[in-house]
Every structure is written in structure tokens, then in C-alpha cells.
Amino acid sequence: MHPYNLGLLMAGRPRVLPSTVGSVWEILQFIGVPLTGKRAVIIGRSLVVGKPLAMLLLQKGIDATVTVCHSKTEQLTEITHEADILIVAAGKPHLIGKKHVKRGTIVIDVGINVVAGKLVGDVKFDEVYQLASYITPVPGGVGKVTTHYLMYNLVKSYEHRR
Ligand SMILES: NC(=O)c1ccc[n+]([C@@H]2O[C@H](COP(=O)([O-])OP(=O)(O)OC[C@H]3O[C@@H](n4cnc5c(N)ncnc54)[C@H](OP(=O)(O)O)[C@@H]3O)[C@@H](O)[C@H]2O)c1
């Protein structure tokens, strides 16, 4: 998340991705669905997740069509309904339900919230998984991969040290 690394990402020469962004990218790679021309909708515009993820998916060679939503976005349901890939990083428990998702969408839930002592995501998993072609759970989804990506970044950064 250092401005230097974010600058490289912005310039189309990503080197060290923010760990959560790297995690989402690894999950998309694992799924293996081509992203070219696909409509990716990201909910959240933080420097940790939303903005750098949007930059990544916009890169030439990845070529998704990216929409970024935030707390002032109007008609969120209509926008998310157009998504081929919906990535939710709002930090609002169960913000996204079946009315937001068309059949076949890839849904990646970045959110981590504690409700009544339990970890829950931003997506109503039980509703949405029936529609989604792929969906990540919380816990056990993006967060788990992020932990590994953090270690990957640590080793990579060590190797790139001057
Ligand atoms: N799984 C992981 O590895 C991992 C890593 C990092 C973060 N997280 C989790 O991901 C979530 C987001 O983290 P963050 O650091 O990006 O949070 P953040 O800095 O609070 O940003 C949240 C974003 O969501 C937007 N938002 C909030 N409510 C919304 C709504 N009702 N509709 C549409 N957009 C809405 C906000 O809009 P505004 O900009 O207008 O306020 C903001 O851009 C949190 O639950 C966090 O714990 C998980």
C-alpha cells in the first residue's frame, strides 16, 4: 500500500500488490475464467482493497470493464446485477443478497465483520451461493489467501531489496 507500489500499479507496472488485492487476484486465477471484457463491479473504494483492485483489473492484458461503488452510489442493485464478477469490500455485514446478483456471477466476499460473536462477510452466503457460479465464504475465503499472500509479499520484497 506504499504510494510507490501503488504508483507502479497505476502506471501499469505492478510489482508488489496490496495483500488483499493479491488474494483476490489469486482466487480469480484459480477459478480460471477469462476476465477480458467482463464486467467487474467492486463495492468499496479504499486504498487497501477497492482502488488498487480496480487498477489491477483495468490493466492491459487483464482487460476487465470495471465499476467501483461506494457508500454514495445510487442504484447499487442495478449496478451489481450487471456484474460478471462482483467483489464486495464494504465492511457491511450481509449488504449483498440475491436481489443484487444475476445467475452465474462470480462473487468474491472480502468483508470481515463480527456479528453476535461470529465472523460474517458482506454477502448473504446462503442466498447468493445458489445463484453464483463461484462464491468465496467468510471465514475461510479471501482472508485465508491474504495471509499467505502477505508472506509471499514479504519474501518477494526481501528478494527485491537493494
Ligand atoms: N479478507 C481480507 O483479507 C481483508 C483485508 C482487508 C479488509 N477486509 C475487510 O474488507 C472490508 C472492507 O475493508 P476496507 O479496509 O476496504 O474498508 P473501508 O476503508 O471502511 O472502506 C469501505 C468501503 O466500502 C464503502 N461502503 C460502505 N458502505 C457501503 C454501502 N452500503 N454501499 C456501498 N459501498 C459502501 C465505503 O464507501 P465510502 O468510501 O463512500 O465511505 C468504502 O469505500 C472490511 O470488512 C474489512 O474488514 C478483509
Side-chain angles (χ1 to χ4, degrees):
M1 289 170 285
H2 189 282
Y4 180 75
N5 289 322
L6 291 174
L8 285 175
L9 174 61
M10 185 82 184
R13 294 182 284 124
R15 195 162 79 179
V16 180
L17 295 174
S19 296
T20 311
V21 174
S23 168
V24 172
W25 175 243
E26 288 296 326
I27 290 167
L28 288 173
Q29 292 283 95
F30 179 80
I31 291 170
V33 173
L35 301 177
T36 304
K38 297 289 187 235
R39 186 80 187 264
V41 174
I42 300 169
I43 305 184
R45 57 178 165 181
S46 74
L47 214 51
V48 183
V49 190
K51 274 187 199 164
L53 185 59
M55 282 302 124
L56 180 71
L57 297 183
L58 269 179
Q59 298 285 310
K60 268 197 179 297
I62 298 176
D63 299 322
T65 302
V66 181
T67 303
V68 182
C69 304
H70 48 78
S71 65
K72 308 290 188 296
T73 297
E74 294 181 355
Q75 295 170 327
L76 185 71
T77 312
E78 282 82 345
I79 297 170
T80 58
H81 221 267
E82 288 178 7
D84 301 306
I85 301 125
L86 177 61
I87 302 158
V88 192
K92 297 290 172 212
H94 296 154
L95 174 69
I96 298 300
K98 62 180 176 192
K99 70 172 182 185
H100 295 91
V101 178
K102 72 177 180 198
R103 188 168 290 282
T105 304
I106 295 170
V107 180
I108 302 198
D109 189 354
V110 179
I112 299 176
N113 313 285
V114 180
V115 175
K118 285 182 69 178
L119 275 188
V120 298
D122 290 351
V123 176
K124 291 177 185 161
F125 185 91
D126 291 345
E127 278 188 16
V128 173
Y129 98 104
Q130 296 168 13
L131 291 170
S133 56
Y134 296 88
I135 183 168
T136 60
V138 177
V142 173
K144 212 159 201 164
V145 183
T146 300
T147 311
H148 289 81
Y149 206 90
L150 185 64
M151 295 313 293
Y152 168 78
N153 271 345
L154 179 66
V155 173
K156 194 170 168 185
S157 301
Y158 177 77
E159 287 172 352
H160 280 287
R161 75 196 184 283
R162 289 194 202 152

